[in-house]
Amino acid sequence: ERHLLAASPDGSRVRFVHALTREALYESVTPPRRRLWHERAAAALMEADSPDPDAVAFHLQHAGDARAREWLVRAADRAQRAYAWLTAADRLRSATSLPASHADSDDERCRLLFRLARLQRFSFPDEALDVLDTTSSLARTLNDPVLTFDMLFQRGVLLGYVNQFRAGI
């Protein structure tokens, strides 16, 4: 009667007519209960044959689940395959801000940050340089000469993108 919900033509789904209604109801739920709802939603989505990694990651992040990082990387992989590089970069940025769940986290974090810099190279070369500079010191501590060289090379390319050709060479 109040037109708060609208049903799909087949009656299988409903949605809130106005986003503020949904937001007000969401905010009225206590945070622990919201986390539980997000946890349940993520579990239900993960049971699907081919779950949407963005949706799963969203719910895992809001549930405070450590698996969110893995699903954010999956979402970045999918976005990168679709040439949605800025979306992929956003997912990687979110993934690297979360704590890692296993022992080789420095190596994984370094590689994700390097990938983030490469994804930003055309749209935001200055930001990519900042990410690469941060990542370079981490790469040196890992004693990975190939990764360190690749980062040095990419830094030179990025410097060319921001019209600092002499420094890039």
Side-chain angles (χ1 to χ4, degrees):
E1 291 176 8
R2 300 214 189 313
H3 301 288
L4 295 175
L5 294 174
S8 65
D10 65 359
S12 65
R13 297 176 186 255
V14 295
R15 66 174 178 79
F16 289 104
V17 173
H18 199 285
L20 290 177
T21 305
R22 186 199 65 79
E23 190 65 28
L25 288 172
Y26 182 81
E27 290 298 323
S28 71
V29 176
T30 62
R33 185 170 298 250
R34 279 193 302 235
R35 287 175 66 117
L36 182 62
W37 286 358
H38 284 294
E39 195 174 292
R40 288 179 181 165
L45 289 169
M46 286 188 283
E47 289 177 9
D49 289 335
S50 56
D52 176 2
D54 280 303
V56 174
F58 171 83
H59 288 292
L60 289 174
Q61 280 180 287
H62 283 82
D65 192 308
R67 295 174 295 173
R69 183 178 176 135
E70 171 193 343
W71 282 91
L72 283 165
V73 173
R74 288 184 189 189
D77 293 344
R78 184 179 71 167
Q80 189 172 356
R81 283 192 305 273
Y83 294 98
W85 288 1
L86 295 180
T87 300
D90 184 52
R91 300 306 179 267
L92 289 176
R93 193 177 301 105
S94 295
T96 57
S97 70
L98 296 174
S101 59
H102 48 78
D104 62 347
S105 62
D106 283 345
D107 182 52
E108 180 193 8
R109 185 169 190 277
C110 185
R111 291 179 190 287
L112 291 177
L113 285 169
F114 179 55
R115 188 172 156 198
L116 169 61
R118 289 195 32 87
L119 286 168
Q120 291 182 312
R121 69 186 180 269
F122 298 124
S123 300
F124 303 107
D126 289 323
E127 289 179 28
L129 269 170
D130 291 342
V131 170
L132 205 53
D133 288 342
T134 302
T135 310
S136 294
S137 61
L138 183 58
R140 283 191 292 278
T141 64
L142 295 173
N143 289 328
D144 186 337
V146 174
L147 181 61
T148 303
F149 172 78
D150 200 4
M151 285 189 180
L152 183 62
F153 174 77
Q154 290 302 321
R155 188 173 192 285
V157 170
L158 283 170
L159 285 168
Y161 288 167
V162 295
N163 295 326
Q164 296 181 19
F165 298 106
R166 190 174 304 277
I169 291 172

